[in-house]
Amino acid sequence: MAVLQVLSALALLWISLGFLRRRLYPTVLENVPGPPGESWIAGSLNYVRNHKGWDYHQNLADTFGKVVRLKGAWQSDRLLVFDQKAMYHVLVKDYNIYEETDSFIEGNKIMFGHGIFTSLGDEHRRHRRMLNPVFSSAHMRQMVPIFYEVAHKVKDVFLNKVQNGPQEVDVVNWMTRLALELIGQSGLGYSFDELTETSPQHKYGLMSKKLVTMQGDEFVRDWVMPRLTRIGTPAFRKFLVDLMPFEAIAGMKEIVNVLHDTSTLIFETKKKALAEGDEAVQNQVGRGKDIISILMKRNVLASDEDKLSDEEVLAQITSLTFAATDTTSGALSRILHQLAIHKDAQDRVREEIREARRENGGQDIGYDELATLPYLDAVCRETLRLYPPISWVPREANEDVILPLSKPIRGLNGEEIREIPVPKGTNVSVSLLAANRDPDLWGPDALEWKPERWLNPLPEALVEAHVPGIYSHLMTFLGGGRSCLGFKFSQLEMKVVLTLLLENLEFSLSKQPIIWQMFAISTPNVDPDSVIPTMPMIISMAK
């Protein structure tokens, strides 16, 4: 208890000094319009990070525009932006200045190890150099048969369920199991799940979902845990963790143990097979074509400058598995939900899929053909536009920097602001959600789900805005040096799954309204206060 009292006193002193410094030396950020800090301790963070925060975020965009000053902890000033020029500087031009926040880096080191999520600067570029080639088009083409092999299992489960009539099914549960098995076989050369009615869900999937919905425990995740990583020896840190009276600590320990143990098993199995030669690799799941097998082979031949340590390879396994599971399952669930709401769109995409299969001689639609299904592509793009799985990303300036704006804003003192001096240590978050819904670029129907917009020329204002995202004028997959490496992988696996599920199955709404929650990754539920995702839908045979 004495140790906890000392730590609490030091934390209170640190917070008090920061608050005093901000009162004595105010910054120009206070002139930027924004809502008042609703809480002296948490500022606006309880609203910004709230899993029911959709209306709050939309109101920020509608009321204050593309640059908003928010109050953070202890009334500190931070910015939320979706101005195109500001996003370009934060994510592309000056991305080495606007780094991931300290709490994000240190917190993720605990969860995922020292990998692509937790590296900065030259080290992050080295990780990307090693990972980029394994996401090439040539490798993606080889993934398609694996995607189909896995997706057929879930399609068969659904067909079996509805052979005697429509059935209510928890779709998000199956999409999570499917997404984990897709990244398992194609990414890791490992099988997590037999994907049958009677096979149990792998604990890794359960823990990753639990991690996504830990939004109520930011204090532990973002403040306590990152600072523990800098205190003393590992044994002393473990001693402190065991002393702490937080239920979230116990839950986090369980998550970390499952993620680490599973990734270690995969890594050691893969390492052993590679040492035994090509025949052993061919006998594994994925037949050596999976992402980690390719990465580990490249790593053997890499220069000393680029080579990844065993610890770093292990971290890539954990990072890629987590990143590819819940974003993909969430996106697939959202698409199926939208198609259940818009039955005319579901019928249209189903007919397009059936026609493509007929032209392919009744065989599964190949890699090149998948890219030529315009309406399926439009449905995917429009859903990823209006409903990005991740709503916003935080960054933190590691030095004083000027943030230019594409259009000036009016300060609280009435002056025009064309650029904002951002002090070192300022949190600058990019709203992917607001950027994708900007009516100045997408038009007055920006808040409507309209796949047809992608079948016509896009608005001239959007094209000329040069939105800095890497995908279709959208910010869904970010842009710049920390953009999503696997965005082509994600699109491809989603299209494979959708072609199989929609060809012979119809998805309809159940009597239970679906509520989407703004956790770190958007999650469906029927209970707005639950942290256990669920999405019941009625599945039947399609006509």
Side-chain angles (χ1 to χ4, degrees), residues 325-339:
T325 300
D326 291 294
T327 52
T328 299
S329 66
L332 279 169
S333 298
R334 181 75 86 160
I335 290 171
L336 293 173
H337 185 208
Q338 286 301 304
L339 290 175

Side-chain angles (χ1 to χ4, degrees), residues 29-90:
L29 299 181
E30 293 189 2
N31 190 37
V32 177
E38 286 83 354
S39 162
W40 185 79
I41 296 175
S44 300
L45 297 185
N46 288 337
Y47 294 86
V48 174
R49 294 178 172 181
N50 195 294
H51 67 275
K52 303 176 185 177
W54 302 108
D55 290 342
Y56 184 81
H57 278 260
Q58 187 61 50
N59 185 60
L60 288 178
D62 293 342
T63 305
F64 301 103
K66 301 183 183 184
V67 183
V68 185
R69 188 258 308 129
L70 294 172
K71 289 295 182 181
W74 310 105
Q75 296 297 297
S76 60
D77 288 315
R78 53 175 56 202
L79 295 176
L80 181 70
V81 304
F82 64 99
D83 174 275
Q84 293 80 52
K85 195 169 187 179
M87 291 192 297
Y88 170 74
H89 278 259
V90 172

Side-chain angles (χ1 to χ4, degrees), residues 253-465:
K253 284 172 62 179
E254 182 185 18
I255 293 171
V256 170
N257 288 338
V258 170
L259 299 186
H260 179 266
D261 292 349
T262 306
S263 296
T264 299
L265 173 63
I266 294 169
F267 175 66
E268 294 298 336
T269 303
K270 191 72 56 184
K271 192 175 180 181
K272 182 174 182 290
L274 289 171
E276 291 175 354
D278 290 342
E279 185 176 349
V281 172
Q282 285 294 321
N283 289 333
Q284 286 198 317
V285 173
R287 298 175 289 279
K289 297 178 180 179
D290 59 276
I291 291 170
I292 293 300
S293 289
I294 296 168
L295 173 65
M296 291 176 72
K297 288 177 183 177
R298 291 190 71 247
N299 199 44
V300 171
L301 304 174
S303 65
D304 291 341
E305 179 184 354
D306 284 342
K307 194 181 293 291
L308 301 176
S309 67
D310 283 0
E311 178 191 5
E312 289 174 314
V313 174
L314 184 63
Q316 313 306 351
I317 292 174
T318 310
S319 301
L320 292 174
T321 307
F322 175 78
T325 300
D326 291 294
T327 52
T328 299
S329 66
L332 279 169
S333 298
R334 181 75 86 160
I335 290 171
L336 293 173
H337 185 208
Q338 286 301 304
L339 290 175
I341 296 171
H342 304 276
K343 282 297 190 69
D344 55 336
Q346 185 176 163
D347 292 340
R348 180 173 176 179
V349 75
R350 180 178 296 109
E351 185 51 43
E352 183 179 73
I353 292 166
R354 288 175 173 176
E355 177 62 26
R357 183 179 282 275
R358 286 193 291 268
E359 292 178 357
N360 204 39
Q363 301 299 309
D364 288 332
I365 304 169
Y367 176 87
D368 293 316
E369 291 77 17
L370 282 170
T372 63
L373 300 179
Y375 198 68
L376 175 63
D377 186 66
V379 165
C380 292
R381 288 176 192 261
E382 181 67 352
T383 308
L384 291 170
R385 178 192 74 84
L386 193 58
Y387 305 109
I390 298 172
S391 299
W392 53 280
V393 294
R395 294 291 186 264
E396 188 173 289
N398 60 27
E399 62 181 69
D400 293 344
V401 63
I402 299 297
L403 183 65
L405 306 178
S406 59
K407 290 184 179 179
I409 62 173
R410 186 71 58 183
L412 294 176
N413 62 3
E415 294 180 357
E416 190 176 78
I417 301 174
R418 294 182 175 273
E419 57 184 24
I420 302 172
V422 176
K424 178 181 178 179
T426 301
N427 181 297
V428 181
S429 294
V430 176
S431 178
L432 315 183
L433 185 71
N436 286 358
R437 299 175 170 195
D438 186 352
D440 290 345
L441 304 184
W442 292 94
D445 60 356
L447 296 180
E448 298 178 37
W449 188 81
K450 294 177 65 174
E452 291 74 19
R453 76 173 75 243
W454 296 96
L455 304 178
N456 300 303
L458 293 171
E460 187 176 343
L462 173 68
V463 176
E464 293 180 351

